[in-house]
Amino acid sequence: MSEVSAKTVMGYIVSAVLLFFAVVFALASAYDTLRLVTSAFLFLAGFGILYYVRTQKPMQITQKLEVLGKLKVQTLECPNCSAFLDISQMKIAKGVPSMKCSYCGHTFEVTEEPKW
Ligand SMILES: [Zn+2]
């Protein structure tokens, strides 16, 4: 998490520097069109990085929630030893979904329907 915030701070610093130079070039562009073009480019780059930094954070939160949701679906708790078991190892015996715990060997019926 600290790495992400450091990146965000870096993004803000870089965009601030770019925008600062954009203003400097704009002020110096009175008789020079090339400087005006450079200034416009720096403005675009500065705002581009600012936009990238601002849009990155909520995206990462969404990805994290998706991963947490998947983990919840794919695991099942053993009633004997409370170990988390992989739901893909579930077997249907006589129409009843059952699990054999790979940690304590306990076999139990899966009463709770898995939520996809
Ligand atoms: Zn167990």
Side-chain angles (χ1 to χ4, degrees):
M1 280 309 278
S2 58
E3 228 176 291
V4 174
S5 60
K7 258 185 197 172
T8 309
V9 170
M10 271 292 284
Y12 277 120
I13 290 166
V14 169
S15 58
V17 168
L18 284 169
L19 290 175
F20 171 76
F21 276 106
V23 171
V24 169
F25 272 96
L27 290 172
S29 70
Y31 301 102
D32 199 332
T33 19
L34 188 72
R35 280 182 186 170
L36 196 68
V37 170
T38 311
S39 170
F41 179 76
L42 286 168
F43 261 118
L44 280 174
F47 279 115
I49 288 165
L50 207 65
Y51 179 78
Y52 177 75
V53 168
R54 277 178 167 270
T55 50
Q56 223 189 5
K57 247 185 172 177
M59 257 174 66
Q60 280 174 340
I61 290 163
T62 321
Q63 281 174 347
K64 206 174 180 183
L65 283 173
E66 275 173 19
V67 170
L68 283 171
K70 275 179 188 172
L71 281 173
K72 206 175 180 185
V73 164
Q74 286 176 338
T75 54
L76 203 75
E77 207 176 332
C78 171
N80 193 42
C81 69
S82 300
F84 285 102
L85 308 168
D86 195 341
I87 207 156
S88 63
Q89 291 176 342
M90 190 170 71
K91 280 167 187 163
I92 310 291
K94 292 168 191 171
V96 180
S98 64
M99 281 281 287
K100 192 186 179 185
C101 178
S102 52
Y103 297 94
C104 68
H106 178 69
T107 310
F108 60 98
E109 286 177 9
V110 181
T111 47
E112 203 180 323
E113 285 286 315
K115 290 157 196 159
W116 307 112

